[in-house]
Amino acid sequence: MTIEAPPRDVAETTTDSAAVDTPTTSLIEPDDETEATSTISPREALMIGASAFLSSAGAGWMCSAVFVGAFPHMIALLGAFVGAGVVAVSYRTSRPALIQLLLVPITLVIGAILLVPYTGHGESLPGLVSQAVSLGGLQFAPVKFLPGWHFLLLLLSALIAGTAAAIATARGQARVATFIPLPLLFAASMIQPKKSDFLSTGIGLTCVIASLAVSYGVELSRESASDTSAGTSSRFELRRLLRAAAVMTGLGLVLVLIAQAGFLFPPVTPSVAVPPRHPQMPPSVPNKLLFTVRSPTAVPVRIGVLDGYADNGWETPPYDPSLVKKVPATGAVPVDAGVPVAPPAHSVRASGQLSVTFDVANLTGDVLPDVAEPESFAPNGNHLTFYPRTQMLQTAGTAKPGLTYTELAANAPSAKQMEAATPAPKALAEFTLAPPAPPAITALLAKAPANPFDRVQFLRTALYKAVIAKGAGVPANVSPADVVGMLSGKTATPYQIVGAEALLARWAGVPARIGYGYYNTTPKSPGVYEIYPSSGSDWLEAYFGGIGWVPLIGQPLHAEASLSQQKPKSNIQPSRQLALVVYVPIKEQNPQQLYTLVRWWVSVLAPYVVGLALLWTFWPGLVKTLRRRRRARWARRQGPSGRILAAYAGFRDVASDLRIATTGDLPLAFLHHVAADEEHEELAWLVTRALWGDLRRDVRPEDADAAERMAASVTRRVVTAQSATNRVVAFAARTSLREPYTWDIPALWRQSQPKRETPRRLGLRRRHALVQSPALGLVLMLFLAGGLLLSGCSSSTSASLPVHLPSRIAPAKLTVGSQSFQLQRELTAEVAYKRAGPASLVATGQVYTVRLNTAVQASLQVGAFKPDVDARKPAIRQGILHSFGLGAFRRTSLPGGQSIYQGTLPSQTVDVYIPPNGRYYDLFVAQQTFADAAAVFADLLGYQGEGS
C-alpha cells in the first residue's frame, strides 16, 4: 500500500483548521461556488415555475388543438398549472424533493376525478384510456376528445411542466424552463388542423415568448443583486431577449407554412360516403328508458329516415362525413347548398313555435333524437353536429346520460295550410323517383284530386280501408305488386304499410320518404313523455313547398289482432351505422407514406433505443456499485489504515459526483467547501491523523470502525440535502470514475499513463477523432436509417406473387352453436374494388353479408393483392392496415387459434386476417352487439383453410 505524505501547504491548512471553533451540528450542504441550486429562494422558484407554466401551456395548447372544442385547451392549461405549481410550492417547504415526487400521484388523482362522470356505466379508467389510444387518429386532426384523452393530456402537460420547473430550479437557470417544452410544441405543430393552425401556433409562440421574458427577468434580477454594473448587463440581456423573440416568431411562421403546405403531413381525404343500403333488424334490447321528451303535445321523434328506393325496397340515405355541419353556439340550423330549406314558420305555418327538450337517459351511439324541420337549437354547451339531408342530429362521442338539449320548430301545419302549399322545389326530384306504377295504381291516381295534399290523403285513405295489418314492424321489401295487394285487402306489416304510403305519395308526384324513431302519445305527467324501445315507430314524411317535411301518422282500419298491438313499431338503426362499407387498401403516393413507415420503425425500435439509452446513461452507477464492493474487499485485506482510506475515498467520490469540490483537496482543506458540521470535522481529523499524523503507526480497528460509521453518516446527509434531480445526475455521473479521489485503492481498471506525442501518433489520434466525431456518427446513422427505409419501401419484381383467392371463401350456411347464419354474396358492393383504380393494392375481391334470418350481422370482405404487393413483409403489412383508415390495430387471436389484427369503431369491430403466404386478406366487419362474431370469423377462416 502506498500512502503519500501531505504537502507542506496541507500541514499549514491543518494547523489553521485546528484553531477554528466549530458549531455543534449542521446540515452538510454545498457551498455557493460549486452548487447554486441550494440558493434558490421561494420567490425565484415561483418565477421559474411561472416560466415553466407559460412554456408548457404553449406546448399543451398546441397539443390540445388537435381535438375538437375548447375543453381540451382547459385540460392542457390545468395540467401545466399543476405541474409547475407543485414544483414552485415545494421550495416553500423544508423537503422540496419529497413534494416534487408527489407530482405524479397528484396528477393521477386529478385525472381520475375528471373521468368519474364517464365511469358510471361499466367503463373503467384504464378502459377509457385504452379506448382513446387504440382509436388513435391524431394525425387526422381534429379528432373527438374522448374521455381517455382527458387523462392523457392532463398527465402529459403536468409532467412536461413539472420536469421543466424542477430541472430549471435545480440548475438555477430559469431559461431551461422555457426550452424543455419546445420539442413537444414543434412536434404538435406538425399535426395542427388547417382551420386553427394560425391561431394555435400564434398562441403557443406567445406563451413561449412570455416564458422567455419571465426567465430573463429572473436572471436580470439576480444580476442586479450581485453586480454593481448591472445596468450594462440588463441592456445586454434585454437585447438578447428581443432577438430570441424575433427568432421564435420566425420559427412560428415557418411551422405555419409547413403545416399549410402539407409536406410532412399531407391532407387526409375524407371518408368515402356510405352508400345506400336496405335497413336491417338489430338485436333485441331491454325495454329501459331511452330519453324523456318535454313538449306541450306529443310529437314524432325521429332518429333517421329512409329516402331511397331500389330493388323493391326502401334504403338508407347515403352518408358523407364531409357534409356534416357543426351546430354553432347561436343554435342556428346549419344548411347545405344542395339541400332545400323550408322558409320561416310565420310565412306559411301557424304562428308560434314548438319547444321540445330532450333529456338523454340510456342511448347507445352518437345519434340523437330530433323533430322534423327544426328551426333552431339550444345546445346547452354540448358539441352537436347536423346532417342537412336527413336532419339527423349527432353528438361528439357516445351520448351520455344527463345530456340535455332543446329544439325549436314550428307548430304542425293544418290541412288547409298544406292544401295551399306551393309545388316542391326541383332539387327534390330525387325523392319522387319510383318504379313505374302498376295499372291498378294508375287507375286509382286517375280518380285522385289534383291538389298534392288531397291527392296523398286520397291514396292513403284507400290503402287504410283495404289493407289488413299483421305482425310487427320488421323491415322488409315493398314492391309495386305488394302495394297492389294491400289495396286488394291482403295482410302487411306496419313497416310495409308505411313503405306503401311513401310509394303512393311518390306516384302522386309528392316528394316522400320514411321517417323512423319513436312516438308516444301517453304523457307521464303534463308535457312529459318517456320514450322506451317499445315506443319505436315509423311514418310517412311528405314535402310540401313552403312548409318542409311533414310527418303524416295514421293506422289501418283493419288488423288481425287488437290495434293496440299494431302500433307501427320500428327497430331501424341510423343508416351510417349499418351500411355496408367496402374497405379497399390503397397505395398512398405522398410524403405521409414515409412518415407512416418511419413511425412504424420508431415504434418497433423505440423500446430497444430507450433501453440502450438508459443503460448508457446509468451504467456508471452500476460500475460504482461494483467498485465499492471491490474496495471493501481490498480494505479488509489491508487492515485499519486501508479501511479508513477506502471509507473516506468513497465519501469524497460521492461529493465529486455531486459537483462538490471536484479538486483533490485533503480532508481538512475540504472542510471549507461545505457547511460546518461536527461529525464531518471529526472524520477529517481522524483520517488526517491516521494516514499522515500521530496515529499512523498505531491505527486500531476501533478507529477504522469509527471512520466507516462517520463516513457513511456524512455521505448519507450530504446526499439527502440534494434535490432529487441532483441525486439522479450524481448516480449517472462519470466524474469519480475518470478522476477518483485517489488511485492508491483499486478501481476496475488501471490508471492510464500519459504517452509522449509523436507526429505519427498525433496523426493516428486525428484519424481516431474523426472516426469518433458526433457528426460522422450522425451521418452513419442517417445512412443506416436510409438503408432500412429503402429496404422496407422497395419491391422486387422477381419476388412478385400470383393473384390468389382461396378456392373456397364462404359456405351458403354456417352453424355456430344453436344459431344458423346465411352468407349472401353482394355483387353490387364488389364494384368498389374496380372503382379504386390503379392506386388499389387489390386485384379482385368478393364481399359477403352474414345474415341471421333477415338481419345483417356482419360482412366478410376477401381481397387478393396485386402481384407486386408482398404482405409477408412487416412494413408492407402495417401499411396495408393503415390504408384501411380505421385507426390503430392490435394483435389478438380467434377461438380457432388464428392470429388476426383487430380494430374498433364506435359501434363495430373490424378484424383483419393475412395468411402466411401474404397473397390475400380477410376483413370481417361486425356489430359490437354480435356476440358470435369471433366464432363465425374463426369458422370462416377454417372453411377457407380446408379448401386451400
Side-chain angles (χ1 to χ4, degrees), residues 271-277 316-321 575-581:
S271 302
V272 179
V274 177
R277 293 291 297 172
T316 59
Y319 180 84
D320 190 347
S575 61
R576 72 186 197 89
Q577 295 185 1
L578 286 175
L580 174 61
V581 181

Side-chain angles (χ1 to χ4, degrees), residues 769-796:
L770 176 62
V771 173
Q772 297 173 359
S773 66
L776 182 60
L778 178 60
V779 173
L780 292 176
M781 290 179 61
L782 291 177
F783 272 109
L784 178 60
L788 291 174
L789 294 177
L790 291 176
S791 64
C793 295
S794 62
S795 59
S796 175

Side-chain angles (χ1 to χ4, degrees), residues 527-727:
V528 179
Y529 300 84
E530 291 186 340
I531 304 299
Y532 292 83
S534 57
S535 306
S537 302
D538 43 35
W539 53 83
L540 168 67
E541 285 193 0
Y543 191 96
F544 297 99
I547 298 178
W549 291 102
V550 179
L552 301 176
I553 297 179
Q555 289 183 339
L557 302 179
H558 306 284
E560 289 190 350
S562 65
L563 287 178
S564 62
Q565 298 177 4
Q566 296 305 317
K567 187 177 181 180
K569 297 180 180 179
S570 170
N571 287 308
I572 307 171
Q573 291 290 335
S575 61
R576 72 186 197 89
Q577 295 185 1
L578 286 175
L580 174 61
V581 181
V582 179
Y583 298 95
V584 182
I586 296 177
K587 184 178 181 180
E588 299 178 355
Q589 298 290 349
N590 55 46
Q592 189 172 359
Q593 192 174 14
L594 176 61
Y595 158 74
T596 303
L597 192 59
V598 171
R599 184 178 62 179
W600 182 84
W601 278 108
V602 169
S603 65
V604 172
L605 299 178
Y608 302 99
V609 173
V610 172
L612 291 175
L614 292 175
L615 181 62
W616 175 253
T617 301
F618 294 107
W619 70 263
L622 304 177
V623 172
K624 285 182 280 189
T625 301
L626 297 176
R627 184 181 65 177
R628 193 179 307 115
R629 295 181 179 179
R630 182 177 180 183
R631 285 178 171 180
R633 291 194 299 269
W634 173 87
R636 286 193 296 268
R637 293 195 300 267
Q638 299 299 324
S641 297
R643 291 171 59 189
I644 293 175
L645 178 60
Y648 186 75
F651 160 65
R652 291 295 299 274
D653 286 337
V654 171
S656 178
D657 289 332
L658 290 170
R659 297 181 299 165
I660 303 175
T662 57
T663 57
D665 292 335
L666 291 177
L668 294 178
F670 183 72
L671 292 174
H672 298 285
H673 293 283
V674 294
D677 182 83
E678 182 179 4
E679 188 176 30
H680 182 209
E681 184 176 1
E682 184 179 353
L683 173 63
W685 277 104
L686 176 59
V687 173
T688 302
R689 295 177 60 192
L691 298 183
W692 300 289
D694 56 335
L695 297 180
R696 181 176 182 181
R697 299 183 181 276
D698 188 23
V699 180
R700 300 179 181 180
E702 294 82 2
D703 298 330
D705 294 338
E708 291 175 343
R709 184 175 60 256
M710 288 188 292
S713 174
V714 174
T715 302
R716 182 174 59 255
R717 289 187 290 120
V718 166
V719 173
T720 304
Q722 311 304 314
S723 64
T725 305
N726 272 3
R727 298 181 202 175

Side-chain angles (χ1 to χ4, degrees), residues 372-396:
E373 293 293 348
E375 295 185 349
S376 63
F377 300 101
N380 297 336
N382 301 304
H383 299 288
L384 305 180
T385 59
F386 188 76
Y387 194 43
R389 176 186 175 109
T390 62
Q391 300 175 335
M392 186 170 64
L393 197 64
Q394 298 169 243
T395 182

